Structure formats: C-alpha cells, structure tokens
Amino acid sequence: MNIGTIIMRKRKSLGFTQQALADKLNVSFQAVSKWENGTSCPEIELLPMLANVLETSVDSLLGYEAIMNSDYENRYKSEDYYWGLEPNQLCYEIMKLKPPTKPLKVLDIGCGEGKDAVFLARNGYVVSALDATDKGIEKGKLLAEKYGVSVDFFKANIEDFRLKEKYDIIFSSGVLHFVKPEYRDDIFQNLKEYTNKNGIHAMNVFVEKPFIASPPDKVQGEDRFRWKSGELFTHYHDWLLHTVNELIFDCNSGGVPHKHCMDIVIAENLEAVF
C-alpha cells in the first residue's frame, strides 16, 4: 500500500478534511491532495510531524509497523513454535468446502509463525501469508523449506494493508482483535471486493464477554479490540453463510490456563460484482 493511500485512510478515520490536515502541517491542501493521489510524496523531514498529527508512527505511514511487534518478536524467538504446529480446525473446513482440485489462491492474514499457511501449501493450495513480525515470517519460511513447499510470506500491518489482487480463499485466525473498530468496515469491504466468485472467507475473532477475564499473556498497554457477539457475521449478510458459530474454549497460551470466547464464520461469495 502506498503512503498516499495510508495518509488518506488515517486522515478520514480522524475526520480531517484535506484542508484541515494541510493547516496542521503548514502545507497547502494541494500538497495533501498530491500525496493522496500518488503524484508526489511528503518530504522526509515532514514525516514525524505527519505521523504525530495522524496519531500513528512513521513506520505505519510507510506500511511497515507491526502490531505489538516487539512482544510477538520475543514470543517467536524460541526454536519451538509458540502456537504449536497443529493446523487450525478452519484449515480442514476450507479443504472440505474448497478442495484444491485446481490451483486455488489463499491469503492467510496474520499468519504468525506460518503453521496454517504451510499446512495449506502442503495440501496443494497456492498460498500467500502476511504477518507484522519479522521473526514470525522467518520461522514460516523455515517451516515451508522444511516441508519443501512454497509460500509467499510478506510483512504487513493489517490496518494499512489493502488487497490489489483477487484470491479464492481468505483465512484469518486470532488476529482481527488488533484492528480498531473504525477500520473494520473498510477492511472487510476490501477483502470481499478482492475475493473471486465462489471464493470463501474463513475467519474467527475473539468476542468480548463480561464473565471472561483478559488473557494472562496480554502485554501491558497492548491494544486489543474484542468484537461484539455476532458482529463478525454482519459483514457477510450478502454472502452464503456455511458456518456461523460462537464458542467458549480453554486455552493454555503463555503457560497459564484461561478461557476465550470466539465467533467463527465461513462465508461464500456468490456474486461477481458488489
């Protein structure tokens, strides 16, 4: 995603007009317009002020910021795989609905250390996978090499990343609670727009429940934005819903037993054009 698009999305999320942003930066609104339409870029020395005004970081403006990057980098430093190597159950559901009888393009959003991306590649899918951590991507590449499969791993921040090519399957597990609520509609609109006809989304999100405490491995100051019960499903009101489920389950991540509530959806795009 280019810097102009990121500036535009962050400006709009804060309710600024181009003129308002220009006034805060002491530049012309034409300059802001040129940044956003891609005909020019901000001067390097202006980036710190621009990031401050847009309540973000320079790395985020450039598309490289990791969500709680340092914490997850530390979690992934071990030779062991923090989340294990057992594939997510959604991977098996994907295989039931869309077996790879022909090359099917998969995008794994928030792939962590790559276990699900590699599993799907081993079963014949054409897989791309993004994550915010360098160490996660590094371990994903090592895992793919170990099993002799190809996965296109790349680094991206889900809040700023937008698709430019279409996929048959978009998969995401355990990451969308890092997305601020104000970005969700835009992100899901983009994901749906770039899904081929008869393509599917297989997603889960952590749901807020007053009787379930925050996870013990939550880092102080970490931004997690749990979803409301049923909120995920509303994004697919115009798609065929194969799975709509909410469950409470036990978890041992971080070595301390605790519980989560999660909404799970598998939805299929029956229309070519929205």
Side-chain angles (χ1 to χ4, degrees), residues 149-165:
V149 296
S150 175
V151 176
D152 177 22
F153 286 102
F154 62 97
K155 184 176 180 179
N157 178 346
I158 180 59
E159 283 194 349
D160 294 331
F161 175 75
R162 298 295 183 274
L163 294 180
K164 298 294 185 182
E165 60 180 289

Side-chain angles (χ1 to χ4, degrees), residues 18-253:
Q18 288 184 339
Q19 184 64 63
L21 179 58
D23 290 343
K24 291 176 182 293
L25 298 170
N26 294 317
V27 300
S28 67
F29 82 87
Q30 291 93 340
V32 175
S33 177
K34 287 180 180 180
W35 299 341
E36 293 186 357
N37 64 32
T39 58
S40 70
C41 292
E43 298 293 330
I44 292 176
E45 57 269 22
L46 189 61
L47 290 179
M49 182 185 296
L50 178 58
N52 183 60
V53 169
L54 293 177
E55 300 179 10
T56 186
S57 67
V58 172
D59 280 347
S60 182
L61 287 177
L62 298 175
Y64 296 119
E65 182 181 43
I67 303 170
M68 290 307 298
N69 182 52
S70 59
D71 175 56
Y72 280 89
E73 294 287 5
N74 289 331
R75 295 185 191 194
Y76 297 160
K77 280 181 180 178
S78 169
E79 290 187 8
D80 295 330
Y81 280 72
Y82 184 84
W83 306 111
L85 293 175
E86 184 70 23
N88 189 291
Q89 182 60 37
L90 280 174
C91 293
Y92 295 105
E93 299 303 320
I94 287 170
M95 294 177 67
K96 291 177 187 176
L97 276 173
K98 297 292 176 183
T101 53
K102 62 179 181 179
L104 293 175
K105 291 176 61 180
V106 177
L107 177 65
D108 182 353
I109 297 173
C111 65
E113 300 158 297
K115 66 180 180 65
D116 296 320
V118 170
F119 174 79
L120 291 169
R122 291 176 65 194
N123 282 279
Y125 295 90
V126 180
V127 183
S128 298
L130 68 91
D131 199 74
T133 62
D134 291 312
K135 194 63 180 179
I137 290 171
E138 178 187 330
K139 290 178 76 173
K141 290 179 178 179
L142 289 173
L143 192 62
E145 182 178 351
K146 174 182 177 180
Y147 287 107
V149 296
S150 175
V151 176
D152 177 22
F153 286 102
F154 62 97
K155 184 176 180 179
N157 178 346
I158 180 59
E159 283 194 349
D160 294 331
F161 175 75
R162 298 295 183 274
L163 294 180
K164 298 294 185 182
E165 60 180 289
K166 290 198 170 186
Y167 289 85
D168 299 295
I169 299 162
I170 296 180
F171 163 74
S172 182
S173 177
V175 71
L176 293 174
H177 58 290
F178 288 113
V179 176
K180 297 181 183 71
E182 58 265 31
Y183 291 121
R184 291 173 185 170
D185 285 344
D186 186 58
I187 289 172
F188 273 82
Q189 181 179 348
N190 173 255
L191 295 178
K192 291 170 70 178
E193 180 181 355
Y194 284 91
T195 302
N196 287 323
K197 185 175 182 181
N198 298 123
I200 63 170
H201 287 187
M203 306 275 192
N204 62 43
V205 297
F206 291 110
V207 175
E208 181 180 4
K209 294 291 185 182
F211 52 85
I212 296 179
S214 295
D217 59 347
K218 183 180 186 296
V219 176
Q220 183 68 31
E222 181 182 41
D223 289 329
R224 297 189 183 191
F225 307 92
R226 289 177 179 264
W227 292 57
K228 302 298 183 185
S229 181
E231 180 186 351
L232 175 64
F233 311 140
T234 66
H235 288 283
Y236 296 101
H237 66 91
D238 52 348
W239 283 27
L240 175 63
L241 296 172
H242 290 281
T243 298
V244 176
N245 194 17
E246 181 169 288
L247 58 88
I248 295 173
F249 62 95
D250 295 317
C251 182
N252 198 42
S253 65

